[in-house]
Amino acid sequence: MNAINVVLAIKIFITVAFLAGPFLLSPQAKLEKRLSISAKSPMLFRLYGVSMLALAVAYASGIWQALQGDFPWGIVWMGIVSNGGAAAVLLLVGPRNVSRAVAAVFGAIAIALLFCALMQQFALAPLF
């Protein structure tokens, strides 16, 4: 296991547990209440859940690539844009009571991925 794989594994867990799973499985009314938005059908929520599941699969491919000794540039850049963008949007337009904490998580992941990109040899070195 190396640093980049730890970051990607954490990102996969967060994505599946807190985004893909709830958006695919939670009742529409619960999602509307939590997000303070409404939709005519649950399709919007379900499609977002599927897109988050697709991101998790992409992150898993980055783990596989790193295990082969190659730095997963595409996955890292995707993660920086995805997580950094999410943090920025939440900070700029999200409700203050929830968005700061969630933005901090996404921002931390983006920073960790950026650090891995800047320190590739460290990111690929075995941790134990």
Side-chain angles (χ1 to χ4, degrees):
M1 183 65 72
N2 54 39
I4 187 68
N5 285 350
V6 170
V7 173
L8 293 174
I10 290 169
K11 179 55 184 166
I12 291 168
F13 174 77
I14 290 170
T15 299
V16 172
F18 298 105
L19 294 171
F23 277 89
L24 288 170
L25 303 172
S26 295
Q28 180 178 350
K30 184 176 181 179
L31 291 168
E32 288 177 335
K33 184 177 179 182
R34 271 208 176 147
L35 299 170
S36 300
I37 61 171
S38 61
K40 290 184 179 182
S41 82
M43 184 174 60
L44 177 67
F45 300 121
R46 305 304 180 231
L47 286 171
Y48 183 73
V50 170
S51 68
M52 290 299 101
L53 198 56
L55 278 175
V57 170
Y59 288 121
S61 75
I63 290 175
W64 177 256
Q65 191 176 359
L67 288 172
Q68 305 306 310
D70 296 325
F71 190 79
W73 277 109
I75 301 306
V76 169
W77 285 119
M78 177 190 72
I80 291 169
V81 171
S82 175
N83 291 282
V89 168
L90 288 168
L91 287 173
L92 293 172
V93 298
R96 296 279 181 221
N97 57 343
V98 175
S99 294
R100 289 184 183 191
V102 177
V105 171
F106 286 125
I109 292 169
I111 290 169
L113 289 169
L114 185 59
F115 178 76
C116 287
L118 294 172
M119 306 289 291
Q120 298 160 40
Q121 290 195 358
F122 168 78
L124 291 172
L127 292 175
F128 40 87

